[in-house]
Amino acid sequence: MENSGFWIFLITTCVIPGINGQRVEMDDGRSGYVGSKTDLRCQFINSSPPVKISQVTWQKMVNGTKQNVAIANPSLGVSVAPPYRDRVTFKNAAVRRRTPSLEDTTITFSPLRLADEASYICEYTTFPAGNRENAVNLTVFVRPKTQMSLSTPSLVAGSSNLKMPVATCVSANGKPPGVISWESRVPGEVTTREYKNSDGTFTIQSDYILVPSREIHKETLTCVTSYNEEVFTDSVTLDIQYEPEVSVDGYDGNWYLNRENVQLSCQADANPTVSLYQWRLANGSIPSNVEIRDNVLSFKGPVTYDTQGTYVCDATNSIGTRSGSVEVNIIEKPQPQIAPGDVISVVALLLAAGVLMGITITVLVLKINSRKDNSSTDSPSRKLSQPIRKRPGDEIQHSGRFYEELPNTADYVSYRLACNKEDYPEPYSPPINPPLSFLPQHPYHCGQPATASGSSSTNTSKNTFSPTSNTMAIFKYPSVQGLSSPPPGVAAYTFPKEQYV
């Protein structure tokens, strides 16, 4: 039994060569926008020798069932179902001939509708190979309609910090839904809502929320809608209504007696514009020589002391009334005025001085840093090779050293040569009230002067003494007027060891 089946398969293959070589080629997927022109490709790859194509049928899958869209038959010609008759055609003209060529049966949708989104089957009926088919998914996109508007025709700035939607951006009837973002210099909050329509499209609504104020009047809000790889923008300008912001100009602080041609002007920033200006003088009435024309108060004739006072301007629009004031003082003589050129010169001089000071500070900082860098880069061997300077008294304080040459022998006294250190207690140091010039030139008077031969005395310096081993150097207070004697009970002053005066 198994051998008979093998022979049947072998005979079939040899008798009908290429029976398994036919196939239907289609795209993996196709997409298009509503209203555009879209092709669905279908090509039949025949065998050699070719098989006979009996019919080509395009079908649409709807809820699991097949619906005919278009049919091409070599004998009956081309037929398109009524729902697609005005929009679906076979792209290849050879299909519509009396003796058609059905290897390429690509169909074209024009215009494409949202309801055309589905899976489409291209089926070939051949003899003797039977049916061959393939399928393609058609995706239909819908560009959304972007619209931006102010939430209300007019926004009023209030005294309370109440947040409210000021602008709304809508991306309507898009498939897939768009993405909305905002661009503005005005900080605010964003709320976004998404709605699905009955036809499968989506509508996105985004509101921009902030506190209406005078500062954001005429600011621009831009709505940016991103859809697939496309970007749509729309903008609005905020229209914020607010009460007038009033100020009074014209008084320069130099209104003096008999000055002429002076005036005050009322400046108001308001939305909508100011419809009424009113002038008044606080705690008084406006002088009779004053002419009022809208927002300008003109003083006719020379200025007098009656002109001074606090002038108030009331500005009114449809939102409310606000006031501005200025206090006018009249002086006897005019004040010196600084010409604009002088002011510019002073400012330029100050700027130049600031620049020069900055350059100087920079140079000093650079020099200090360079010195620090140089000192930090010195090697230890270099530092050790530098000589160490010593003070004149440093070497004298070291015991066991004797220096034969001194800068000035009169300024130093060797206690080791003059006195016996071990027999003398800690001396009392009297205050030196008189100048140093009153000190005696030969303060050393020992008990028994040393006797020396004539030859040795001639070689001894006049400021050098050679006392005996038991002698002491005792300082006697000189009898100088104004210098008191030592306190009672205090012995005579003895020079300490190796101290210089």
Side-chain angles (χ1 to χ4, degrees):
M1 184 68 181
E2 293 179 357
N3 294 332
S4 60
F6 172 75
W7 285 108
I8 293 173
F9 172 77
L10 183 60
I11 294 172
T12 305
T13 305
C14 295
V15 172
I16 310 177
I19 195 171
N20 294 322
Q22 302 85 19
R23 67 181 185 276
V24 179
E25 287 188 353
M26 303 183 72
D27 296 326
D28 294 336
R30 293 289 294 171
S31 63
Y33 287 94
V34 170
S36 65
K37 181 179 179 179
T38 304
D39 297 335
L40 297 184
R41 186 177 68 89
C42 182
Q43 289 182 334
F44 183 76
I45 306 301
N46 213 331
S47 60
S48 179
V51 298
K52 181 180 179 181
I53 300 175
S54 303
Q55 181 173 294
V56 179
T57 305
W58 276 92
Q59 296 174 318
K60 178 182 179 182
M61 294 294 296
V62 179
N63 297 326
T65 61
K66 297 181 179 179
Q67 295 180 355
N68 290 337
V69 175
I71 299 174
N73 188 284
S75 303
L76 301 177
V78 174
S79 176
V80 180
Y84 308 96
R85 186 165 297 169
D86 297 335
R87 300 184 301 110
V88 175
T89 58
F90 284 93
K91 185 177 181 179
N92 190 2
V95 178
R96 300 187 295 270
R97 296 175 185 172
R98 181 172 297 180
T99 56
S101 174
L102 302 180
E103 279 76 12
D104 184 358
T105 55
T106 300
I107 60 174
T108 300
F109 286 84
S110 182
L112 188 64
R113 294 180 180 176
L114 182 61
D116 294 336
E117 180 174 286
S119 178
Y120 291 87
I121 300 172
C122 179
E123 181 181 12
Y124 274 79
T125 302
T126 65
F127 180 83
N131 294 346
R132 298 288 185 272
E133 67 179 30
N134 203 347
V136 61
N137 291 324
L138 175 62
T139 303
V140 180
F141 296 139
V142 183
R143 287 187 177 90
K145 295 181 179 179
T146 303
Q147 182 181 4
M148 187 178 180
S149 61
L150 295 173
S151 300
T152 57
S154 60
L155 300 169
V156 180
S159 57
S160 61
N161 295 328
L162 181 62
K163 295 181 180 180
M164 60 180 299
V166 296
T168 301
C169 185
V170 177
S171 175
N173 304 324
K175 182 179 174 296
V179 178
I180 296 178
S181 60
W182 293 85
E183 294 180 356
S184 178
R185 298 184 304 175
V186 182
E189 300 177 359
V190 177
T191 58
T192 303
R193 294 178 295 276
E194 180 179 311
Y195 306 95
K196 186 174 183 179
N197 304 319
S198 58
D199 58 355
T201 60
F202 297 87
T203 297
I204 308 299
Q205 178 178 339
S206 181
D207 296 328
Y208 203 78
I209 302 175
L210 50 77
V211 179
S213 62
R214 181 177 65 90
E215 291 74 18
I216 65 174
H217 178 55
K218 293 185 178 181
E219 289 288 345
T220 301
L221 294 178
T222 301
C223 171
V224 181
T225 302
S226 302
Y227 178 77
N228 287 344
E229 296 180 356
E230 300 176 337
V231 177
F232 308 93
T233 60
D234 197 0
S235 300
V236 294
T237 301
L238 295 178
D239 184 16
I240 310 296
Q241 296 184 355
Y242 51 90
E243 295 179 343
E245 291 288 334
V246 186
S247 63
V248 179
D249 298 337
Y251 177 68
D252 58 0
N254 193 23
W255 285 24
Y256 51 87
L257 291 176
N258 298 325
R259 180 178 176 179
E260 296 183 355
N261 299 325
V262 294
Q263 63 181 15
L264 299 175
S265 62
C266 185
Q267 305 296 326
D269 177 19
N271 183 37
T273 58
V274 175
S275 58
L276 177 63
Y277 290 96
Q278 292 179 318
W279 287 93
R280 54 190 173 89
L281 184 64
N283 300 325
S285 58
I286 296 179
S288 58
N289 64 334
V290 174
E291 181 181 355
I292 302 177
R293 285 185 294 184
D294 292 334
N295 65 322
V296 178
L297 199 65
S298 300
F299 295 83
K300 301 299 182 180
V303 171
T304 63
Y305 284 115
D306 296 335
T307 308
Q308 64 184 4
T310 302
Y311 291 85
V312 181
C313 173
D314 299 326
T316 304
N317 66 353
S318 60
I319 306 302
T321 300
R322 299 287 294 273
S323 301
S325 63
V326 63
E327 184 177 356
V328 176
N329 295 318
I330 307 302
I331 59 178
E332 184 178 358
K333 296 180 180 181
Q335 296 179 353
Q337 299 293 321
I338 301 177
D342 296 338
V343 175
I344 296 175
S345 300
V346 172
V347 173
L349 183 60
L350 292 176
L351 290 176
V355 172
L356 183 60
M357 184 178 296
I359 294 174
T360 303
I361 293 174
T362 303
V363 172
L364 291 176
V365 170
L366 292 177
K367 285 186 177 181
I368 293 173
N369 291 336
S370 63
R371 290 179 180 178
K372 289 182 178 180
D373 294 339
N374 293 335
S375 62
S376 61
T377 56
D378 289 342
S379 61
S381 60
R382 182 179 177 183
K383 293 183 178 180
L384 293 175
S385 64
Q386 295 178 354
I388 302 176
R389 295 182 178 180
K390 298 183 178 180
R391 294 179 298 175
D394 292 343
E395 296 177 349
I396 299 177
Q397 298 298 328
H398 293 79
S399 61
R401 295 184 181 180
F402 179 79
Y403 294 88
E404 296 180 356
E405 294 182 3
L406 297 176
N408 188 357
T409 55
D411 295 337
Y412 298 88
V413 177
S414 176
Y415 175 77
R416 185 179 290 111
L417 300 177
C419 303
N420 188 354
K421 170 190 173 186
E422 297 177 353
D423 299 337
Y424 193 79
E426 186 70 18
Y428 167 77
S429 178
I432 305 176
N433 290 328
L436 294 177
S437 60
F438 289 102
L439 292 176
Q441 298 299 322
H442 303 283
Y444 302 98
H445 299 281
C446 300
Q448 295 293 333
T451 60
S453 61
S455 60
S456 62
S457 62
T458 56
N459 296 330
T460 305
S461 175
K462 62 179 180 178
N463 292 329
T464 305
F465 296 87
S466 300
T468 59
S469 59
N470 294 327
T471 60
M472 291 187 299
I474 301 175
F475 172 71
K476 299 297 185 177
Y477 282 85
S479 60
V480 181
Q481 185 177 0
L483 179 62
S484 60
S485 60
V490 178
Y493 177 78
T494 302
F495 285 93
K497 178 182 178 180
E498 295 182 2
Q499 175 172 319
Y500 62 90
V501 180

